[in-house]
Amino acid sequence: FFSLLCPSFQIIVDDDDSKVWSLYDAGPRSIRCPLIFLPPVSGTADVFFQQILALTGWGYRVIALQYPVYWDHLEFCDGFRKLLDHLQLDKVHLFGASLGGFLAQKFAEYTHKSPRVQSLILCNAFSDTSIFNQTWTANSFWLMPAFMLKKIVLGNFASGPLDPEMADGIDFMVDRLESLGQSELASRLTLNCQNSYVEPHKIRDIPVTIMDVFDQSALSTEAKEEMYKLYPNARRAHLKTGGNFPYLCRSAEVNLYIQIHLLQFHGTRYAAIDPSMVSAEELEVQKISLHTSNEQDEQ
C-alpha cells in the first residue's frame, strides 16, 4: 500500500554498479534542505513510512534511504556525499536510527570542513562502536551465512510481553530483516561493530536532538550517558516507551519531536517545510501540550 502511494527509486553514484541506493523522496521538490532518514542495521527505507506519510502531509520534504553494501565508514561517507551531489542537495537534516545515527554523525564529521549536515536527530544512537564488544568479530561477518547474521541481529530485539504496537513494530522489522541479503547484513554489522568513534569537536556547532526511550532497547545506559556528555547542548526527546523502534510503534510522538526540532529552521533557507504550510500557532500549541505531558510523566 505504502509503495503505491510513494514509489521508491534506485540510484547508483559509485563506479561500482553493484552499489545501489534505494530511496523514497516525498514532499515538495522545491525544498532544498530536506530531512533524510537513515535506518538501523535491520531496517530498509520503508521502516520510516509513518514519518514519510505524516510529515509530507504537513508540507515537509523527506527522503528515506537504504544503503548499498559498504564495508567501512569512509567508503559510506564518500558514497553518501556523492548521492547528495546527485540529488543536488547542499545541506540536509539527518534523522539516524541506531547504526543510522552513528553513520549520520560520521558523515557530519567527514564533511565538517565543507559542511553538508544542517542538523541531526539521533534516535537510539551511539557514538562509539566499542559498546557492542564485537570489534574483534567485525572482520569476520562477511564470512558468516545469512541465517547466522540474522540471529545476531534478532538477539537485540525485545522479548517478553509487549503492547500491540510494539509487537507489530518488531514483526515489521523482522519482516524487513528477512528481505536483506547476506552481503547487505554483513556489511551493516561490520559498519556497526568496526572499531570507530565520533570526534565531537568536528561537529560541535550542529544543532542536535537526542531521541531515546526509557524502556528496553539495545542501548546500554552507559551508551546513552556518553551521548549526553558528547552533546551537552543537545535537545532531548525522551519517550517513556518505544523500545528499539519508536518511529514504528510511537510514531505520533516521534513525528512531533521531529517537527519541534525542525521548527528552529522555519523561515530560513534551511527549512525542510513548504513555507505556505507553516502554522506557527498550531506548532506552539503542540509544543506546550508536549511540555505539559512530559512534566506530568516526570511527576
Side-chain angles (χ1 to χ4, degrees), residues 24 28 37 43 51 81 84 87 113 117-118 136 171 175 209 231 235 237 254 258 261:
Y24 296 95
F37 288 90
Q51 284 65 52
R81 182 183 53 77
L84 295 186
L87 295 170
K113 285 186 177 156
V117 179
Q118 185 60 28
W136 55 277
D171 286 347
D175 186 55
T209 291
Y231 301 106
R235 297 173 176 206
V254 169
I258 291 171
H261 171 88

PDB file of all heavy atoms in Angstrom, residues 24 28 37 43 51 81 84 87 113 117-118 136 171 175 209 231 235 237 254 258 261:
ATOM      1  N   TYR A  24      13.062   6.657  -0.994  1.00  0.00           N
ATOM      2  CA  TYR A  24      11.772   7.322  -1.172  1.00  0.00           C
ATOM      3  C   TYR A  24      12.047   8.804  -1.038  1.00  0.00           C
ATOM      4  O   TYR A  24      12.709   9.222  -0.081  1.00  0.00           O
ATOM      5  CB  TYR A  24      10.786   6.909  -0.085  1.00  0.00           C
ATOM      6  CG  TYR A  24      10.413   5.449  -0.109  1.00  0.00           C
ATOM      7  CD1 TYR A  24      11.082   4.525   0.693  1.00  0.00           C
ATOM      8  CD2 TYR A  24       9.388   4.985  -0.937  1.00  0.00           C
ATOM      9  CE1 TYR A  24      10.744   3.183   0.673  1.00  0.00           C
ATOM     10  CE2 TYR A  24       9.051   3.638  -0.961  1.00  0.00           C
ATOM     11  CZ  TYR A  24       9.727   2.746  -0.158  1.00  0.00           C
ATOM     12  OH  TYR A  24       9.401   1.417  -0.193  1.00  0.00           O
ATOM     13  N   PRO A  28       7.449  18.363  -1.207  1.00  0.00           N
ATOM     14  CA  PRO A  28       7.732  19.371  -2.240  1.00  0.00           C
ATOM     15  C   PRO A  28       9.196  19.399  -2.676  1.00  0.00           C
ATOM     16  O   PRO A  28      10.090  19.592  -1.854  1.00  0.00           O
ATOM     17  CB  PRO A  28       7.328  20.696  -1.580  1.00  0.00           C
ATOM     18  CG  PRO A  28       7.236  20.419  -0.125  1.00  0.00           C
ATOM     19  CD  PRO A  28       6.995  18.967   0.060  1.00  0.00           C
ATOM     20  N   PHE A  37      16.262  10.221   6.286  1.00  0.00           N
ATOM     21  CA  PHE A  37      16.213   9.160   7.294  1.00  0.00           C
ATOM     22  C   PHE A  37      17.201   8.047   6.966  1.00  0.00           C
ATOM     23  O   PHE A  37      17.218   7.541   5.848  1.00  0.00           O
ATOM     24  CB  PHE A  37      14.804   8.552   7.345  1.00  0.00           C
ATOM     25  CG  PHE A  37      13.773   9.458   7.964  1.00  0.00           C
ATOM     26  CD1 PHE A  37      13.047  10.352   7.180  1.00  0.00           C
ATOM     27  CD2 PHE A  37      13.528   9.422   9.326  1.00  0.00           C
ATOM     28  CE1 PHE A  37      12.108  11.196   7.750  1.00  0.00           C
ATOM     29  CE2 PHE A  37      12.583  10.262   9.907  1.00  0.00           C
ATOM     30  CZ  PHE A  37      11.869  11.148   9.116  1.00  0.00           C
ATOM     31  N   GLY A  43      17.024  -2.397   9.181  1.00  0.00           N
ATOM     32  CA  GLY A  43      15.965  -1.638   8.516  1.00  0.00           C
ATOM     33  C   GLY A  43      16.175  -1.394   7.039  1.00  0.00           C
ATOM     34  O   GLY A  43      17.291  -1.354   6.543  1.00  0.00           O
ATOM     35  N   GLN A  51       6.633   8.204   9.251  1.00  0.00           N
ATOM     36  CA  GLN A  51       7.170   9.573   9.232  1.00  0.00           C
ATOM     37  C   GLN A  51       6.942  10.198   7.854  1.00  0.00           C
ATOM     38  O   GLN A  51       6.551  11.360   7.754  1.00  0.00           O
ATOM     39  CB  GLN A  51       8.678   9.553   9.539  1.00  0.00           C
ATOM     40  CG  GLN A  51       9.023   9.343  11.007  1.00  0.00           C
ATOM     41  CD  GLN A  51       8.596   7.980  11.539  1.00  0.00           C
ATOM     42  OE1 GLN A  51       8.914   6.949  10.949  1.00  0.00           O
ATOM     43  NE2 GLN A  51       7.857   7.957  12.633  1.00  0.00           N
ATOM     44  N   ARG A  81      28.005  11.293   0.194  1.00  0.00           N
ATOM     45  CA  ARG A  81      28.273  12.632  -0.349  1.00  0.00           C
ATOM     46  C   ARG A  81      27.955  12.672  -1.857  1.00  0.00           C
ATOM     47  O   ARG A  81      27.339  13.614  -2.354  1.00  0.00           O
ATOM     48  CB  ARG A  81      29.746  12.997  -0.109  1.00  0.00           C
ATOM     49  CG  ARG A  81      30.130  14.389  -0.598  1.00  0.00           C
ATOM     50  CD  ARG A  81      31.607  14.675  -0.408  1.00  0.00           C
ATOM     51  NE  ARG A  81      32.465  13.657  -0.984  1.00  0.00           N
ATOM     52  CZ  ARG A  81      32.728  13.537  -2.290  1.00  0.00           C
ATOM     53  NH1 ARG A  81      32.197  14.363  -3.156  1.00  0.00           N
ATOM     54  NH2 ARG A  81      33.525  12.584  -2.735  1.00  0.00           N
ATOM     55  N   LEU A  84      24.194  12.873  -2.328  1.00  0.00           N
ATOM     56  CA  LEU A  84      23.672  14.236  -2.125  1.00  0.00           C
ATOM     57  C   LEU A  84      24.002  15.120  -3.323  1.00  0.00           C
ATOM     58  O   LEU A  84      23.179  15.936  -3.747  1.00  0.00           O
ATOM     59  CB  LEU A  84      24.234  14.850  -0.836  1.00  0.00           C
ATOM     60  CG  LEU A  84      23.825  14.187   0.484  1.00  0.00           C
ATOM     61  CD1 LEU A  84      24.352  14.992   1.668  1.00  0.00           C
ATOM     62  CD2 LEU A  84      22.328  14.017   0.595  1.00  0.00           C
ATOM     63  N   LEU A  87      21.610  14.294  -6.029  1.00  0.00           N
ATOM     64  CA  LEU A  87      20.272  14.837  -5.750  1.00  0.00           C
ATOM     65  C   LEU A  87      20.276  16.374  -5.714  1.00  0.00           C
ATOM     66  O   LEU A  87      19.255  16.995  -5.477  1.00  0.00           O
ATOM     67  CB  LEU A  87      19.741  14.295  -4.416  1.00  0.00           C
ATOM     68  CG  LEU A  87      19.485  12.783  -4.352  1.00  0.00           C
ATOM     69  CD1 LEU A  87      19.209  12.349  -2.921  1.00  0.00           C
ATOM     70  CD2 LEU A  87      18.332  12.374  -5.258  1.00  0.00           C
ATOM     71  N   LYS A 113      34.653  20.210   7.131  1.00  0.00           N
ATOM     72  CA  LYS A 113      35.351  21.352   6.517  1.00  0.00           C
ATOM     73  C   LYS A 113      34.486  22.045   5.474  1.00  0.00           C
ATOM     74  O   LYS A 113      34.645  23.225   5.193  1.00  0.00           O
ATOM     75  CB  LYS A 113      36.662  20.878   5.892  1.00  0.00           C
ATOM     76  CG  LYS A 113      37.721  20.601   6.954  1.00  0.00           C
ATOM     77  CD  LYS A 113      39.052  20.266   6.337  1.00  0.00           C
ATOM     78  CE  LYS A 113      40.102  20.074   7.422  1.00  0.00           C
ATOM     79  NZ  LYS A 113      41.211  19.238   6.963  1.00  0.00           N
ATOM     80  N   VAL A 117      25.754  18.852   6.630  1.00  0.00           N
ATOM     81  CA  VAL A 117      24.703  18.481   7.589  1.00  0.00           C
ATOM     82  C   VAL A 117      24.276  19.726   8.361  1.00  0.00           C
ATOM     83  O   VAL A 117      25.080  20.347   9.060  1.00  0.00           O
ATOM     84  CB  VAL A 117      25.202  17.394   8.563  1.00  0.00           C
ATOM     85  CG1 VAL A 117      24.106  17.040   9.569  1.00  0.00           C
ATOM     86  CG2 VAL A 117      25.624  16.144   7.783  1.00  0.00           C
ATOM     87  N   GLN A 118      23.014  20.095   8.214  1.00  0.00           N
ATOM     88  CA  GLN A 118      22.489  21.280   8.893  1.00  0.00           C
ATOM     89  C   GLN A 118      22.085  20.964  10.332  1.00  0.00           C
ATOM     90  O   GLN A 118      22.232  21.793  11.224  1.00  0.00           O
ATOM     91  CB  GLN A 118      21.293  21.832   8.108  1.00  0.00           C
ATOM     92  CG  GLN A 118      20.721  23.129   8.636  1.00  0.00           C
ATOM     93  CD  GLN A 118      21.730  24.273   8.637  1.00  0.00           C
ATOM     94  OE1 GLN A 118      22.654  24.307   7.829  1.00  0.00           O
ATOM     95  NE2 GLN A 118      21.573  25.204   9.570  1.00  0.00           N
ATOM     96  N   TRP A 136      36.246  -7.260  17.669  1.00  0.00           N
ATOM     97  CA  TRP A 136      37.144  -8.349  17.248  1.00  0.00           C
ATOM     98  C   TRP A 136      36.477  -9.268  16.225  1.00  0.00           C
ATOM     99  O   TRP A 136      37.150  -9.939  15.456  1.00  0.00           O
ATOM    100  CB  TRP A 136      37.633  -9.141  18.465  1.00  0.00           C
ATOM    101  CG  TRP A 136      36.497  -9.667  19.306  1.00  0.00           C
ATOM    102  CD1 TRP A 136      35.813  -8.986  20.262  1.00  0.00           C
ATOM    103  CD2 TRP A 136      35.900 -10.958  19.230  1.00  0.00           C
ATOM    104  NE1 TRP A 136      34.812  -9.765  20.796  1.00  0.00           N
ATOM    105  CE2 TRP A 136      34.853 -10.985  20.187  1.00  0.00           C
ATOM    106  CE3 TRP A 136      36.129 -12.094  18.461  1.00  0.00           C
ATOM    107  CZ2 TRP A 136      34.048 -12.108  20.383  1.00  0.00           C
ATOM    108  CZ3 TRP A 136      35.328 -13.216  18.659  1.00  0.00           C
ATOM    109  CH2 TRP A 136      34.293 -13.212  19.618  1.00  0.00           C
ATOM    110  N   ASP A 171       7.442  -7.190  14.558  1.00  0.00           N
ATOM    111  CA  ASP A 171       7.082  -8.074  13.427  1.00  0.00           C
ATOM    112  C   ASP A 171       7.481  -7.439  12.101  1.00  0.00           C
ATOM    113  O   ASP A 171       8.004  -8.099  11.204  1.00  0.00           O
ATOM    114  CB  ASP A 171       5.565  -8.348  13.409  1.00  0.00           C
ATOM    115  CG  ASP A 171       5.152  -9.321  14.510  1.00  0.00           C
ATOM    116  OD1 ASP A 171       6.056  -9.952  15.098  1.00  0.00           O
ATOM    117  OD2 ASP A 171       3.942  -9.431  14.774  1.00  0.00           O
ATOM    118  N   ASP A 175      10.304  -8.790   9.420  1.00  0.00           N
ATOM    119  CA  ASP A 175       9.963  -8.949   8.003  1.00  0.00           C
ATOM    120  C   ASP A 175      10.985  -8.218   7.116  1.00  0.00           C
ATOM    121  O   ASP A 175      11.438  -8.745   6.103  1.00  0.00           O
ATOM    122  CB  ASP A 175       8.554  -8.372   7.778  1.00  0.00           C
ATOM    123  CG  ASP A 175       8.066  -8.628   6.375  1.00  0.00           C
ATOM    124  OD1 ASP A 175       8.048  -9.805   5.968  1.00  0.00           O
ATOM    125  OD2 ASP A 175       7.736  -7.654   5.664  1.00  0.00           O
ATOM    126  N   THR A 209      19.244  16.921  18.250  1.00  0.00           N
ATOM    127  CA  THR A 209      18.238  16.406  19.179  1.00  0.00           C
ATOM    128  C   THR A 209      18.560  14.940  19.424  1.00  0.00           C
ATOM    129  O   THR A 209      18.735  14.170  18.477  1.00  0.00           O
ATOM    130  CB  THR A 209      16.809  16.529  18.616  1.00  0.00           C
ATOM    131  OG1 THR A 209      16.440  17.919  18.563  1.00  0.00           O
ATOM    132  CG2 THR A 209      15.793  15.813  19.497  1.00  0.00           C
ATOM    133  N   TYR A 231      27.183  15.649  23.575  1.00  0.00           N
ATOM    134  CA  TYR A 231      26.397  16.776  23.063  1.00  0.00           C
ATOM    135  C   TYR A 231      25.685  17.466  24.218  1.00  0.00           C
ATOM    136  O   TYR A 231      24.466  17.346  24.378  1.00  0.00           O
ATOM    137  CB  TYR A 231      25.364  16.278  22.037  1.00  0.00           C
ATOM    138  CG  TYR A 231      25.987  15.560  20.857  1.00  0.00           C
ATOM    139  CD1 TYR A 231      25.897  14.180  20.728  1.00  0.00           C
ATOM    140  CD2 TYR A 231      26.669  16.276  19.870  1.00  0.00           C
ATOM    141  CE1 TYR A 231      26.477  13.525  19.652  1.00  0.00           C
ATOM    142  CE2 TYR A 231      27.256  15.623  18.793  1.00  0.00           C
ATOM    143  CZ  TYR A 231      27.148  14.247  18.689  1.00  0.00           C
ATOM    144  OH  TYR A 231      27.729  13.607  17.620  1.00  0.00           O
ATOM    145  N   ARG A 235      19.166  19.104  22.398  1.00  0.00           N
ATOM    146  CA  ARG A 235      17.814  18.963  22.944  1.00  0.00           C
ATOM    147  C   ARG A 235      17.588  17.476  23.204  1.00  0.00           C
ATOM    148  O   ARG A 235      18.103  16.642  22.465  1.00  0.00           O
ATOM    149  CB  ARG A 235      16.784  19.421  21.914  1.00  0.00           C
ATOM    150  CG  ARG A 235      16.916  20.874  21.550  1.00  0.00           C
ATOM    151  CD  ARG A 235      15.974  21.219  20.414  1.00  0.00           C
ATOM    152  NE  ARG A 235      16.044  22.650  20.147  1.00  0.00           N
ATOM    153  CZ  ARG A 235      15.065  23.354  19.610  1.00  0.00           C
ATOM    154  NH1 ARG A 235      13.936  22.750  19.265  1.00  0.00           N
ATOM    155  NH2 ARG A 235      15.194  24.644  19.396  1.00  0.00           N
ATOM    156  N   ALA A 237      14.802  14.406  23.545  1.00  0.00           N
ATOM    157  CA  ALA A 237      13.436  13.959  23.264  1.00  0.00           C
ATOM    158  C   ALA A 237      13.304  12.557  23.861  1.00  0.00           C
ATOM    159  O   ALA A 237      13.766  11.574  23.281  1.00  0.00           O
ATOM    160  CB  ALA A 237      13.201  13.928  21.757  1.00  0.00           C
ATOM    161  N   VAL A 254       7.158  10.568  18.001  1.00  0.00           N
ATOM    162  CA  VAL A 254       8.400  10.774  17.233  1.00  0.00           C
ATOM    163  C   VAL A 254       8.195  11.890  16.209  1.00  0.00           C
ATOM    164  O   VAL A 254       9.029  12.793  16.070  1.00  0.00           O
ATOM    165  CB  VAL A 254       8.844   9.461  16.546  1.00  0.00           C
ATOM    166  CG1 VAL A 254       9.955   9.709  15.529  1.00  0.00           C
ATOM    167  CG2 VAL A 254       9.306   8.450  17.599  1.00  0.00           C
ATOM    168  N   ILE A 258      10.151  15.468  15.881  1.00  0.00           N
ATOM    169  CA  ILE A 258      10.832  15.865  14.634  1.00  0.00           C
ATOM    170  C   ILE A 258      10.395  17.275  14.248  1.00  0.00           C
ATOM    171  O   ILE A 258      11.218  18.131  13.892  1.00  0.00           O
ATOM    172  CB  ILE A 258      10.517  14.872  13.486  1.00  0.00           C
ATOM    173  CG1 ILE A 258      11.179  13.515  13.755  1.00  0.00           C
ATOM    174  CG2 ILE A 258      10.988  15.433  12.139  1.00  0.00           C
ATOM    175  CD1 ILE A 258      10.752  12.414  12.782  1.00  0.00           C
ATOM    176  N   HIS A 261      11.995  19.833  16.446  1.00  0.00           N
ATOM    177  CA  HIS A 261      13.411  20.004  16.070  1.00  0.00           C
ATOM    178  C   HIS A 261      13.543  20.897  14.837  1.00  0.00           C
ATOM    179  O   HIS A 261      14.397  21.787  14.781  1.00  0.00           O
ATOM    180  CB  HIS A 261      14.044  18.632  15.805  1.00  0.00           C
ATOM    181  CG  HIS A 261      15.422  18.708  15.220  1.00  0.00           C
ATOM    182  ND1 HIS A 261      16.554  18.783  16.000  1.00  0.00           N
ATOM    183  CD2 HIS A 261      15.852  18.742  13.926  1.00  0.00           C
ATOM    184  CE1 HIS A 261      17.628  18.868  15.213  1.00  0.00           C
ATOM    185  NE2 HIS A 261      17.225  18.841  13.955  1.00  0.00           N
TER     186      HIS A 261
END
